[in-house]
């Protein structure tokens, strides 16, 4: 996967998560508006600002959108879950510690659950995009291993298992030094 595409993917993931956070919070607020007094809307908008800033700070501190994280779906999902749990605990701690806002518990719980659901949807969307572009030849890094020894064999198995969108095209070695082949010539085409 080329570097520019990874940068755009990072940017899209950050923006999509923030858009979903805002959308679900405003939607929950609209659906449960009977729990909000007319004078309290300003408090909810302040809370929305806190939710956005805290999500961005914790996700960047936890390297949720880091390049090495987003190229592996399992790692990206795990980091997202860790960040979400940390974010939720931090927001609840902030709200309970300062008691600055008298907010509806229903709205807070619904917003957390809804945002968790949209994070799952965003990650599934990411997985679809990732697999679509991963299969494209111009997004694959082609790797040629120089030499054929124990280290080269480990590299081969590494690229087979976790190639990070890399395609192993072969080895270079003097033919008289190679005593075995792990693949036939046709496998390299």
């Amino acid at each position: 996967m080329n570097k520019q595409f990874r940068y755009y993917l990072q940017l899209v993931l950050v923006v999509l998560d923030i858009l979903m956070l805002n959308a679900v919070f405003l939607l929950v607020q609209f659906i449960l508006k009977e729990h909000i007094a007319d004078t309290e809307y300003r408090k909810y908008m302040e809370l929305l600002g806190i939710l956005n800033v805290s999500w961005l700070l914790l996700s960047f501190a936890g390297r949720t959108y880091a390049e090495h994280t987003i190229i592996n779906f399992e790692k990206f999902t795990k980091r997202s879950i860790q960040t979400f749990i940390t974010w939720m605990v931090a927001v609840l701690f902030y709200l309970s510690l300062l008691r600055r806002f008298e907010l509806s518990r229903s709205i807070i719980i619904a917003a957390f659950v809804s945002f968790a659901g949209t994070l799952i949807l965003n990650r599934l969307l990411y997985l679809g995009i990732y697999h679509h572009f991963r299969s494209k030849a111009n997004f694959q890094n082609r790797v040629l291993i120089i030499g054929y020894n124990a280290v080269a064999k480990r590299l081969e198995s590494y690229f087979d298992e976790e190639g990070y969108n890399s395609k192993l095209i072969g080895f270079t070695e003097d033919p008289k030094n190679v005593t075995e082949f792990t693949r036939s010539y046709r496998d390299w085409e």
Side-chain angles (χ1 to χ4, degrees), residues 50 56 66 72 80 83 92 110 125 128 135 146 148 161 170:
I50 291 167
L56 288 172
N72 184 309
S80 297
T83 301
L92 289 174
L125 177 65
S135 64
I146 299 173
Y148 189 78
E161 294 169 8

Side-chain angles (χ1 to χ4, degrees), residues 63-116:
R63 302 190 49 80
T64 304
Y65 304 109
E67 187 176 316
H68 71 279
T69 304
I70 66 167
I71 59 175
N72 184 309
F73 178 72
E74 290 81 19
K75 188 184 287 188
F76 181 50
T77 303
K78 183 179 176 183
R79 284 278 170 91
S80 297
I81 291 169
Q82 291 169 341
T83 301
F84 176 78
I85 291 170
T86 305
W87 172 78
M88 188 175 65
V89 169
V91 168
L92 289 174
F93 182 73
Y94 173 79
L95 290 175
S96 66
L97 181 69
L98 294 184
R99 295 194 186 270
R100 182 175 171 195
F101 301 116
E102 287 293 324
L103 302 171
S104 167
R105 288 187 182 120
S106 302
I107 290 176
I108 302 298
I109 291 169
F112 283 148
V113 170
S114 299
F115 184 52

